[in-house]
Amino acid sequence: MKWIDKMATTNLFSHWYQLAAWQQTALLCALGVASLSLPAQHYWQQWTQLAQLTEQQEMQQATLAHQQKILAALKEKADKHLLTPKLAGKLAAINQQIQQLAQSLHIEHSQWDFHQTALLTLHVQGYFDELSAFLTALLTENAGLALVEWQVQKRTESNNDSVLFSELLFQFNPEEK
């Protein structure tokens, strides 16, 4: 058995020495590339995963910062007694309803301002039918919410679709509900 192994090894080395120099170099390069491909593939997967996690973290931080701004504004208004717990509950319900109704739209900006009454500024992008259905449902379900101002711009997408960009200003009077 030892003699067969010795013969196989000797035969392999004699074959190696019979190869031309460029063939030996090419074979060594191929072995080197093959041995480095697994760590390179692992590195690429790790790098891709890190990029995805970084992007996800940035999105979560942006969402957190937005929510913290909303919370700070609500606390400020509550300190000034412009925002009562009852009104805050109604506004939270309206915000939730807006998110549910605007599934087919893209809300770019949403902000409540408190003056003598609560004002909601919305920047929405979408098609006319979706925007019309959104406004109809929102205003029908919230009697205290009134559309004060509506600015519309038509934007043409790359595939010749016409998308509307709307700036909406709502006034909320909770006594009317």
Side-chain angles (χ1 to χ4, degrees), residues 33-95:
V33 168
S35 66
L36 293 176
S37 66
L38 186 63
Q41 180 185 10
H42 180 69
Y43 172 78
W44 179 256
Q45 288 174 344
Q46 293 295 322
W47 184 80
T48 304
Q49 185 179 12
L50 177 64
Q52 289 173 347
L53 290 174
T54 303
E55 182 180 335
Q56 184 180 15
Q57 181 185 15
E58 289 172 358
M59 287 176 33
Q60 288 176 347
Q61 285 176 341
T63 302
L64 177 63
H66 179 69
Q67 290 174 347
Q68 286 175 338
K69 285 180 184 178
I70 292 172
L71 180 61
L74 291 175
K75 283 182 180 180
E76 179 183 327
K77 301 306 176 187
D79 291 342
K80 293 180 182 179
H81 300 292
L82 295 175
L83 182 63
T84 63
K86 185 177 180 182
L87 179 60
K90 290 180 182 179
L91 296 181
I94 291 173
N95 280 335

Side-chain angles (χ1 to χ4, degrees), residues 90-139:
K90 290 180 182 179
L91 296 181
I94 291 173
N95 280 335
Q96 185 177 18
Q97 192 174 39
I98 288 171
Q99 294 299 320
Q100 290 173 350
L101 293 173
Q103 292 292 327
S104 59
L105 299 172
H106 175 67
I107 297 177
E108 294 181 5
H109 177 75
S110 173
Q111 180 177 346
W112 284 97
D113 290 318
F114 299 92
H115 300 286
Q116 291 146 341
T117 61
L119 297 173
L120 172 62
T121 304
L122 275 179
H123 296 180
V124 181
Q125 186 173 344
Y127 295 103
F128 177 78
D129 294 337
E130 298 163 347
L131 186 59
S132 174
F134 167 74
L135 287 173
T136 302
L138 183 64
L139 294 173

